[in-house]
């Protein structure tokens, strides 16, 4: 399955996460995407805070990367995993990730230390839930025959075009089954968020339709929750849903364009136009809270 490629252009690209930050707090959005234009704080200061991670975020990062390795291994061999060696691999990866990143919980003095063993147990729990699920065994029966065509977190950022607008919709796992069906699985290690996750899957279905000319009725989209147990929530996307989604992307993109002085070059308006959120409770979880004095 070959992805379409695009020439670089500086214009901003819509994504679920980008617009979510824009909606939540315009100042946080500025720091996330326009740090080089800030005259108050250095680029190094802002980039350092941007790179802060959290325990829940890191659990998700590690689980995603382990699933990627698992599925890539499955493309090469169907031999049973050595459980002891696999657990050792999970622990080693968890330790490596945790020791090489700065956690917001430590930086902002919410915790005195990061307990690697606890993160490892959470990661292992999520991965084992997937390995023991009916879906994992189903892959052997229904999808393995075309494993060479699997897309497992493909390189890049999932760039696509939605009615000629730049957008990013990067799938976790897309694979063909039979002659026509195309499955999309999206891993979640956190709490269910029906509206947000349905919007993400609509984006992935639109992405698959664009890149592979897949018909909406043949795209089977599943949100896969890995904790506290493995559960799946199907998201049905029709042709009408894709049209509606494209209209929504256009509206949201134009909202973000309004904070650009030169849209084609993605140059922002002055920082003061990126207002702080009125919901100060959100600041407790923001990496940039020290810059705003909240």
């Amino acid at each position: 399955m070959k992805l379409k490629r695009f020439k670089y252009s500086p214009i901003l690209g819509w994504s679920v996460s980008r617009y979510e930050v824009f909606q939540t707090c315009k100042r946080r959005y500025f720091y996330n995407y326009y740090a080089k234009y800030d005259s108050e704080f250095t680029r190094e200061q802002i980039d350092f805070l941007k790179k802060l991670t959290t325990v829940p975020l890191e659990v998700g990062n590690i689980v995603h990367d382990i699933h990627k390795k698992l599925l890539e291994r499955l493309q090469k061999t169907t031999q049973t995993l050595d459980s002891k060696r696999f657990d050792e691999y999970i622990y080693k990866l968890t330790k490596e990730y945790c020791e090489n990143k700065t956690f917001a919980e430590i930086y902002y003095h919410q915790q005195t230390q990061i307990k690697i063993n606890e993160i490892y147990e959470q990661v292992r729990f999520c991965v084992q839930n997937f390995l023991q699920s009916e879906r994992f065994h189903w892959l052997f029966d229904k999808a393995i025959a075309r494993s060479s065509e699997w897309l497992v977190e493909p390189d890049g950022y999932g760039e696509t075009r939605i009615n000629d607008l730049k957008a990013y919709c990067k799938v976790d796992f897309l694979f063909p089954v039979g002659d026509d069906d195309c499955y999309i699985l999206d891993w979640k290690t956190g709490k269910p968020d029906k509206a947000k996750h349905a919007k993400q899957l609509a984006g992935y279905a639109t992405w698959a339709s664009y890149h592979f000319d897949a018909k909406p009725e043949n795209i089977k989209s599943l949100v896969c929750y890995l904790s506290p147990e493995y559960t799946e929530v199907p998201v049905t996307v029709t042709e009408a849903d894709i049209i509606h989604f494209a209209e929504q992307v256009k509206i949201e993109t134009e909202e973000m364009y309004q904070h650009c002085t030169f849209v084609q070059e993605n140059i922002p308006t002055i920082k003061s136009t990126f207002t702080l959120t009125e919901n100060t409770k959100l600041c407790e979880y923001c990496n940039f809270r020290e810059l705003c004095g909240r």
Side-chain angles (χ1 to χ4, degrees):
M1 303 181 80
K2 190 174 181 180
L3 298 173
K4 296 175 183 177
R5 301 295 178 184
F6 308 94
K7 291 183 179 179
Y8 169 78
S9 64
I11 194 168
L12 72 81
W14 176 96
S15 71
V16 169
S17 57
R18 183 174 187 135
Y19 185 71
E20 182 181 36
V21 175
F22 179 83
Q23 262 193 321
T24 302
C25 177
K26 302 296 187 295
R27 184 62 54 86
R28 180 184 171 198
Y29 175 79
F30 177 86
Y31 288 137
N32 258 294
Y33 296 100
Y34 299 114
K36 68 180 181 181
Y37 295 99
D38 191 53
S39 58
E40 184 179 6
F41 303 106
T42 67
R43 177 75 180 270
E44 290 72 23
Q45 283 178 284
I46 298 171
D47 283 349
F48 171 78
L49 295 174
K50 182 179 178 179
K51 291 176 183 176
L52 291 177
T53 190
T54 64
V55 171
L57 182 61
E58 216 49 44
V59 169
N61 287 339
I62 300 167
V63 168
H64 273 74
D65 285 355
I66 290 172
H67 278 193
K68 177 178 171 63
K69 293 294 185 183
L70 268 172
L71 294 168
E72 288 175 343
R73 178 186 185 275
L74 194 55
Q75 287 179 288
K76 298 173 183 176
T77 177
T78 56
Q79 288 186 345
T80 304
L81 283 166
D82 182 315
S83 58
K84 184 175 183 296
R85 288 181 61 190
F86 186 54
D87 285 347
E88 289 172 350
Y89 168 73
I90 294 175
Y91 183 79
K92 179 182 178 182
L93 195 68
T94 301
K95 188 171 184 288
E96 179 184 320
Y97 276 43
C98 292
E99 289 181 343
N100 286 285
K101 295 187 180 181
T102 303
F103 283 77
E105 291 93 337
I106 300 297
Y107 185 78
Y108 285 110
H109 310 295
Q110 295 165 312
Q111 294 179 205
T112 57
Q113 64 176 331
I114 295 300
K115 298 177 180 178
I116 294 175
N117 283 344
E118 291 184 5
I119 295 176
Y120 158 72
E121 290 296 343
Q122 290 181 57
V123 170
R124 183 179 181 278
F125 181 72
C126 289
V127 173
Q128 288 297 329
N129 279 347
F130 173 57
L131 288 175
Q132 294 166 11
S133 69
E134 290 183 11
R135 178 63 62 193
F136 183 73
H137 297 289
W138 176 90
L139 289 174
F140 286 86
D141 296 330
K142 302 295 184 181
I144 200 71
R146 297 181 65 182
S147 63
S148 62
E149 300 173 70
W150 290 2
L151 286 178
V152 186
E153 293 198 24
D155 293 338
Y157 299 98
E159 185 173 349
T160 190
R161 294 292 180 269
I162 300 176
N163 283 359
D164 295 327
L165 291 172
K166 185 199 285 188
Y168 296 98
C169 304
K170 184 170 180 176
V171 299
D172 288 343
F173 183 28
L174 179 147
F175 55 97
V177 174
D179 295 329
D180 301 312
D181 289 342
C182 173
Y183 278 74
I184 297 173
L185 271 55
D186 191 55
W187 320 119
K188 300 296 181 188
T189 56
K191 296 178 181 178
D193 186 331
K194 185 176 180 180
K196 178 182 176 180
H197 297 163
K199 186 177 182 181
Q200 285 179 322
L201 270 293
Y204 299 152
T206 303
W207 178 88
S209 178
Y210 178 83
H211 281 275
F212 309 117
D213 297 320
K215 296 179 180 179
E217 61 267 26
N218 295 131
I219 301 172
K220 317 297 181 184
S221 302
L222 300 167
V223 184
C224 304
Y225 295 103
L226 302 168
S227 181
E229 59 186 6
Y230 183 86
T231 55
E232 294 180 347
V233 177
V235 177
T236 302
V237 179
T238 65
E239 186 67 42
D241 292 327
I242 288 179
I243 293 171
H244 173 73
F245 177 77
E247 291 170 348
Q248 189 176 10
V249 167
K250 181 180 179 181
I251 291 169
E252 294 175 2
T253 299
E254 289 176 347
E255 282 182 46
M256 292 187 286
Y257 281 170
Q258 289 174 13
H259 278 71
C260 292
T261 55
F262 188 16
V263 170
Q264 294 300 321
E265 294 299 322
N266 195 18
I267 297 174
T269 54
I270 59 173
K271 179 178 173 179
S272 60
T273 63
F274 292 82
T275 54
L276 295 164
T277 180
E278 294 181 2
N279 184 358
T280 55
K281 287 186 177 181
L282 295 175
C283 301
E284 297 174 18
Y285 307 99
C286 178
N287 285 9
F288 306 108
R289 69 195 85 164
E290 71 175 30
L291 303 183
C292 304
R294 286 187 168 183

